[in-house]
Amino acid sequence: MNDTQVSQVPRGRSLALLLAPLAVGGLIAVGLGVYGRVHLATGYAVGPAGFSGPLAMKSWLTTGAFLLALVQLLSALVMWGRIKLDAPWIGPLHRWSGRAAFLLTVPVAFHCLYALGAQFDTPRVMTHSLLGCFFYGVFAAKMMALPRRGLPGWALPVLGGLAFTALTGLWLTSSLWFFTTIGVTL
Protein backbone atom coordinates (compact mmCIF):
# COMPACT_ATOMS: atom_id res chain seq x y z
CA MET A 1 0.00 0.00 0.00
CA ASN A 2 1.36 3.40 -0.86
CA ASP A 3 0.87 6.79 0.77
CA THR A 4 -1.77 7.79 -1.80
CA GLN A 5 -4.01 4.86 -0.86
CA VAL A 6 -3.66 5.65 2.82
CA SER A 7 -4.45 9.33 2.34
CA GLN A 8 -7.67 8.52 0.44
CA VAL A 9 -9.24 7.05 3.57
CA PRO A 10 -10.22 9.50 6.33
CA ARG A 11 -8.04 9.13 9.42
CA GLY A 12 -10.87 8.03 11.73
CA ARG A 13 -12.04 5.45 9.22
CA SER A 14 -8.52 4.09 8.72
CA LEU A 15 -8.18 3.53 12.46
CA ALA A 16 -11.67 1.99 12.62
CA LEU A 17 -10.52 -0.60 10.06
CA LEU A 18 -8.13 -1.91 12.72
CA LEU A 19 -10.83 -2.49 15.34
CA ALA A 20 -12.11 -5.85 14.07
CA PRO A 21 -8.64 -7.42 13.62
CA LEU A 22 -7.52 -6.15 17.02
CA ALA A 23 -10.73 -7.34 18.70
CA VAL A 24 -10.46 -10.81 17.17
CA GLY A 25 -6.76 -10.97 18.06
CA GLY A 26 -7.55 -9.97 21.62
CA LEU A 27 -10.28 -12.59 21.88
CA ILE A 28 -7.91 -15.26 20.57
CA ALA A 29 -5.18 -14.29 23.03
CA VAL A 30 -7.59 -14.25 25.98
CA GLY A 31 -9.32 -17.44 24.80
CA LEU A 32 -6.03 -19.32 24.60
CA GLY A 33 -5.03 -18.08 28.03
CA VAL A 34 -8.34 -19.08 29.57
CA TYR A 35 -8.28 -22.48 27.87
CA GLY A 36 -4.69 -23.05 28.96
CA ARG A 37 -5.57 -22.15 32.52
CA VAL A 38 -8.83 -24.10 32.96
CA HIS A 39 -7.94 -27.12 30.81
CA LEU A 40 -6.79 -30.12 32.81
CA ALA A 41 -3.24 -30.67 31.50
CA THR A 42 -2.68 -34.19 30.18
CA GLY A 43 1.11 -34.24 30.41
CA TYR A 44 1.27 -35.64 26.87
CA ALA A 45 0.13 -34.28 23.54
CA VAL A 46 2.50 -34.68 20.61
CA GLY A 47 4.89 -37.54 20.01
CA PRO A 48 8.37 -36.09 19.57
CA ALA A 49 9.24 -38.05 16.40
CA GLY A 50 12.96 -37.75 15.73
CA PHE A 51 13.61 -35.92 19.00
CA SER A 52 14.76 -37.16 22.39
CA GLY A 53 11.68 -35.71 24.08
CA PRO A 54 8.99 -33.07 23.91
CA LEU A 55 11.20 -30.28 25.29
CA ALA A 56 13.84 -30.91 22.61
CA MET A 57 11.14 -31.02 19.92
CA LYS A 58 9.61 -27.75 21.10
CA SER A 59 13.01 -26.07 21.42
CA TRP A 60 14.14 -26.99 17.90
CA LEU A 61 10.81 -26.17 16.25
CA THR A 62 10.72 -22.82 18.04
CA THR A 63 14.32 -22.17 16.98
CA GLY A 64 13.32 -22.85 13.37
CA ALA A 65 10.35 -20.50 13.71
CA PHE A 66 12.60 -17.84 15.26
CA LEU A 67 15.12 -18.10 12.41
CA LEU A 68 12.29 -17.78 9.89
CA ALA A 69 11.03 -14.77 11.87
CA LEU A 70 14.43 -13.17 11.30
CA VAL A 71 13.89 -13.76 7.57
CA GLN A 72 10.49 -12.12 8.03
CA LEU A 73 12.07 -9.09 9.68
CA LEU A 74 14.73 -8.63 7.02
CA SER A 75 12.35 -9.19 4.12
CA ALA A 76 9.84 -6.74 5.64
CA LEU A 77 12.58 -4.13 5.90
CA VAL A 78 13.29 -4.62 2.20
CA MET A 79 9.59 -4.51 1.28
CA TRP A 80 9.04 -1.29 3.25
CA GLY A 81 12.13 0.32 1.70
CA ARG A 82 14.26 0.41 4.87
CA ILE A 83 16.87 -1.81 3.20
CA LYS A 84 17.57 -0.95 -0.40
CA LEU A 85 17.61 -4.16 -2.43
CA ASP A 86 16.23 -4.86 -5.86
CA ALA A 87 14.72 -8.27 -5.18
CA PRO A 88 11.46 -9.16 -6.95
CA TRP A 89 11.43 -12.44 -5.01
CA ILE A 90 11.28 -10.73 -1.60
CA GLY A 91 7.45 -10.72 -1.37
CA PRO A 92 7.11 -14.49 -1.91
CA LEU A 93 10.05 -15.08 0.46
CA HIS A 94 8.29 -13.00 3.12
CA ARG A 95 4.97 -14.81 2.69
CA TRP A 96 6.42 -18.33 2.61
CA SER A 97 8.84 -17.81 5.49
CA GLY A 98 5.91 -16.51 7.55
CA ARG A 99 3.77 -19.49 6.67
CA ALA A 100 6.58 -21.90 7.52
CA ALA A 101 7.34 -20.12 10.80
CA PHE A 102 3.69 -20.26 11.81
CA LEU A 103 3.42 -23.96 10.92
CA LEU A 104 6.47 -24.74 13.06
CA THR A 105 4.77 -23.12 16.05
CA VAL A 106 1.55 -25.14 15.80
CA PRO A 107 2.78 -28.46 17.30
CA VAL A 108 4.65 -26.49 19.95
CA ALA A 109 1.57 -24.49 20.95
CA PHE A 110 -0.61 -27.59 20.85
CA HIS A 111 1.77 -29.40 23.18
CA CYS A 112 2.09 -26.40 25.48
CA LEU A 113 -1.65 -25.83 25.77
CA TYR A 114 -2.89 -29.41 25.77
CA ALA A 115 -0.14 -31.16 27.71
CA LEU A 116 0.95 -28.39 30.07
CA GLY A 117 -1.65 -25.62 30.07
CA ALA A 118 -0.92 -22.00 30.92
CA GLN A 119 1.28 -21.92 33.98
CA PHE A 120 2.18 -19.04 36.25
CA ASP A 121 4.36 -20.72 38.91
CA THR A 122 7.69 -19.14 37.90
CA PRO A 123 8.39 -15.82 36.18
CA ARG A 124 9.97 -17.49 33.10
CA VAL A 125 7.07 -19.88 32.59
CA MET A 126 4.46 -17.19 33.25
CA THR A 127 6.14 -14.87 30.75
CA HIS A 128 6.31 -17.72 28.24
CA SER A 129 2.62 -18.57 28.69
CA LEU A 130 1.53 -14.95 28.29
CA LEU A 131 3.78 -14.40 25.26
CA GLY A 132 2.39 -17.52 23.60
CA CYS A 133 -1.17 -16.27 23.93
CA PHE A 134 -0.14 -12.79 22.80
CA PHE A 135 1.74 -14.17 19.77
CA TYR A 136 -1.30 -16.00 18.41
CA GLY A 137 -3.53 -13.02 19.08
CA VAL A 138 -1.29 -10.52 17.31
CA PHE A 139 -0.64 -13.01 14.49
CA ALA A 140 -4.40 -13.34 13.94
CA ALA A 141 -4.80 -9.55 14.00
CA LYS A 142 -2.04 -9.15 11.41
CA MET A 143 -3.51 -11.81 9.13
CA MET A 144 -6.93 -10.16 9.34
CA ALA A 145 -5.45 -6.73 8.68
CA LEU A 146 -3.45 -7.78 5.60
CA PRO A 147 -6.29 -7.74 3.04
CA ARG A 148 -7.82 -4.51 4.39
CA ARG A 149 -7.22 -1.45 2.28
CA GLY A 150 -7.00 1.96 3.84
CA LEU A 151 -5.21 1.00 7.06
CA PRO A 152 -2.79 3.50 8.55
CA GLY A 153 0.67 2.99 7.04
CA TRP A 154 2.11 1.99 10.41
CA ALA A 155 -0.43 -0.76 11.16
CA LEU A 156 1.15 -3.76 9.40
CA PRO A 157 4.73 -2.95 10.46
CA VAL A 158 3.60 -2.55 14.07
CA LEU A 159 1.59 -5.79 14.06
CA GLY A 160 4.46 -7.62 12.36
CA GLY A 161 6.93 -6.14 14.82
CA LEU A 162 4.77 -7.23 17.75
CA ALA A 163 4.54 -10.77 16.34
CA PHE A 164 8.33 -10.83 15.87
CA THR A 165 8.89 -9.50 19.39
CA ALA A 166 6.53 -12.07 20.89
CA LEU A 167 8.19 -14.93 19.00
CA THR A 168 11.61 -13.67 20.08
CA GLY A 169 10.42 -13.64 23.69
CA LEU A 170 9.02 -17.14 23.27
CA TRP A 171 12.37 -18.34 21.93
CA LEU A 172 14.26 -16.68 24.78
CA THR A 173 11.98 -18.17 27.46
CA SER A 174 11.93 -21.65 25.96
CA SER A 175 14.60 -22.68 23.46
CA LEU A 176 17.44 -20.55 24.79
CA TRP A 177 16.52 -21.65 28.33
CA PHE A 178 16.49 -25.31 27.21
CA PHE A 179 19.80 -25.09 25.34
CA THR A 180 21.58 -23.32 28.21
CA THR A 181 20.00 -25.37 31.03
CA ILE A 182 19.54 -28.87 29.59
CA GLY A 183 22.01 -28.69 26.70
CA VAL A 184 21.93 -28.78 22.93
CA THR A 185 20.37 -32.16 22.18
CA LEU A 186 18.05 -33.52 19.57
Side-chain angles (χ1 to χ4, degrees), residues 47-60 178 182-186:
F51 296 97
S52 60
L55 287 179
M57 175 201 66
K58 292 181 349 178
S59 295
W60 284 107
F178 177 82
I182 311 286
V184 179
T185 63
L186 285 177

Side-chain angles (χ1 to χ4, degrees), residues 79-141:
M79 289 176 8
W80 288 91
R82 301 294 185 224
I83 296 176
K84 302 296 181 206
L85 180 65
D86 184 25
W89 44 265
I90 207 74
L93 174 67
H94 185 79
R95 285 187 296 278
W96 283 101
S97 62
R99 291 171 181 152
F102 176 79
L103 288 175
L104 287 176
T105 69
V106 171
V108 175
F110 178 74
H111 187 276
C112 288
L113 279 172
Y114 189 74
L116 305 173
Q119 298 178 15
F120 304 108
D121 49 347
T122 65
R124 179 190 67 81
V125 175
M126 178 184 70
T127 301
H128 184 76
S129 292
L130 294 172
L131 281 172
C133 296
F134 179 75
F135 170 75
Y136 280 98
V138 76
F139 178 82

Side-chain angles (χ1 to χ4, degrees), residues 13-32:
R13 170 128 165 78
S14 67
L15 288 175
L17 292 171
L18 273 176
L19 290 180
L22 292 176
V24 170
L27 288 172
I28 287 172
V30 170
L32 288 172

